[in-house]
Amino acid sequence: MNKSKRATLAYGVVLTLALLTSCDNGQVGKKITGDTIPSTRPQVSQSRSNSAATKITDEQQFRIAFTAFQQAVKDNNEDEIRKIIHFPLQTAKQWTNDDLKTMEIDKSAGEVHNTEFKEYYPTIFHAAVRRLIPKAGEENLQEIDDKMDEDYYNTLRQGTDKDAKLYEVYEQYPEKNGSSEDFFAFVFARIGGEYRVVAYYAKWPIKG
């Protein structure tokens, strides 16, 4: 899938629940950097109740979970990482709608269950993951557009909280021999009110 077609995170978030104001120019999909003023968050009316003004957003919840995930990966802490994963974890190579037209996709073949996690942990959280995830920045974070009608993401949405957004952390890096690029991604979804990792995909499948 062409990553440039994905909707990137619409705005930067301050993880302080009391501050939710900025400007809105109606644009979606603009990359946010430390030097960019967020432009897509709606203006918060002064007449709103305190409870509405302090309601935590999907993006804030995702960033809280991702920060914890970064620390756990940095520490190579399998137990803490396990807490941020929703099992079964989908680890199949990412399929496209075009793939479904030309081949049969076994969507359950890549599922890693809780009881298997220890076995596949070194393969999922390999050296590049442990090196890159703790340093991941805005350029690596994407909100998956609700209008992106891809079966891969639609499958991941099954069982998630209603109307919850999906977020993806995508890393691309040169292979050791420098002749080609490698990549991996983690997809987060809100389940039971908390964001967790629901999928990992890479250049090659984990199972099979």
Side-chain angles (χ1 to χ4, degrees), residues 128-192:
V129 170
R130 298 197 308 272
R131 173 171 55 87
L132 295 172
I133 284 295
K135 300 185 293 185
E138 296 299 320
E139 68 277 9
N140 306 113
L141 309 181
Q142 305 176 77
E143 178 187 313
I144 305 303
D145 195 328
D146 295 339
K147 297 182 177 61
M148 183 186 289
D149 190 24
E150 281 287 339
D151 184 78
Y152 178 80
Y153 294 107
N154 290 339
T155 299
L156 296 181
R157 286 188 179 97
Q158 296 174 9
T160 64
D161 292 354
K162 184 179 180 181
D163 299 326
K165 299 180 182 299
L166 295 181
Y167 293 93
E168 183 172 279
V169 184
Y170 180 83
E171 292 277 4
Q172 189 169 3
Y173 58 99
E175 292 185 340
K176 289 182 178 180
N177 58 18
S179 62
S180 61
E181 293 290 313
D182 207 340
F183 65 89
F184 65 83
F186 290 91
V187 182
F188 286 71
R190 176 157 54 83
I191 300 175

Side-chain angles (χ1 to χ4, degrees), residues 47-66:
S47 62
R48 291 185 182 180
S49 66
N50 289 337
S51 60
T54 58
K55 183 179 179 180
I56 189 168
T57 67
D58 274 1
E59 185 176 337
Q60 287 173 311
Q61 291 184 68
F62 157 67
R63 287 178 181 270
I64 290 170
F66 180 55

Side-chain angles (χ1 to χ4, degrees), residues 69 73 81 85 87 89-91 110 112 116-130 133 184-186 197 199-202 206-207:
F69 183 67
V73 172
I81 291 173
I85 291 177
F87 293 100
L89 175 69
Q90 178 60 265
T91 66
V112 171
E116 304 174 288
F117 184 60
K118 191 173 188 65
E119 175 185 353
Y120 290 100
Y121 177 84
T123 308
I124 299 171
F125 294 93
H126 50 81
V129 170
R130 298 197 308 272
I133 284 295
F184 65 83
F186 290 91
V197 177
Y200 164 88
Y201 67 86
I206 296 300
K207 301 179 73 174

Side-chain angles (χ1 to χ4, degrees), residues 34-115:
D35 297 324
T36 303
I37 299 174
S39 58
T40 57
R41 183 181 297 167
Q43 187 72 26
V44 177
S45 171
Q46 294 298 320
S47 62
R48 291 185 182 180
S49 66
N50 289 337
S51 60
T54 58
K55 183 179 179 180
I56 189 168
T57 67
D58 274 1
E59 185 176 337
Q60 287 173 311
Q61 291 184 68
F62 157 67
R63 287 178 181 270
I64 290 170
F66 180 55
T67 298
F69 183 67
Q70 285 182 295
Q71 186 61 53
V73 172
K74 181 179 180 179
D75 296 340
N76 197 19
N77 190 324
E78 181 180 338
D79 292 335
E80 289 301 313
I81 291 173
R82 186 190 294 266
K83 294 176 183 177
I84 309 171
I85 291 177
H86 177 77
F87 293 100
L89 175 69
Q90 178 60 265
T91 66
K93 185 177 179 180
Q94 187 187 47
W95 64 86
T96 68
N97 289 350
D98 287 339
D99 290 334
L100 293 173
K101 297 175 184 178
T102 59
M103 66 183 74
E104 184 175 345
I105 303 294
D106 185 353
K107 300 177 184 179
S108 64
E111 292 180 350
V112 171
H113 294 264
N114 192 15
T115 54

